[in-house]
Amino acid sequence: MLTPHRLLAQTEMDAHRPAAEIGRLLVEMAVAGLLKLNRAVTVLDDAVRAGAHASVWSILTEALPALLPAVGERARAGLGDLLAVGARVAALAGARRGRDAARG
């Protein structure tokens, strides 16, 4: 039976999917050298200022783990700025521990 609580949870999951896909695409493009992270930072910062905290948080929860360097590797140019956006938006989105904590 579809309860209001389940319907709300499903709606939140469906709303998260496009942002998560953007996060995956951001990683693919950065790894392929098609996107400079500083340009993504500018766009994501603009989205945060426009009030899209939850969407930006969903994008970054998908992208940041994949963009972090392995032990002994150098960080990509712009990663520090992307992490800074992540820190700001995590606070604004009310993020807690765990990958999807911003969604409750």
Side-chain angles (χ1 to χ4, degrees), residues 17-97:
R17 286 188 183 125
E21 181 63 21
I22 291 169
R24 286 188 288 277
L25 291 171
L26 188 151
V27 171
E28 286 179 29
M29 293 176 68
V31 168
L34 301 173
L35 174 71
K36 293 181 178 184
L37 290 181
N38 65 334
R39 296 205 176 146
V41 167
T42 301
V43 171
L44 293 171
D45 248 347
D46 288 347
V48 170
R49 280 194 292 280
H53 311 126
S55 294
V56 173
W57 179 240
S58 293
I59 291 167
L60 292 178
T61 58
E62 212 40 65
L64 283 173
L67 291 171
L68 294 174
V71 175
E73 289 183 0
R74 291 185 57 147
R76 294 178 189 284
L79 182 60
D81 293 332
L82 193 62
L83 287 166
V85 172
R88 282 192 304 276
V89 77
L92 292 169
R96 298 175 300 276
R97 287 185 187 195

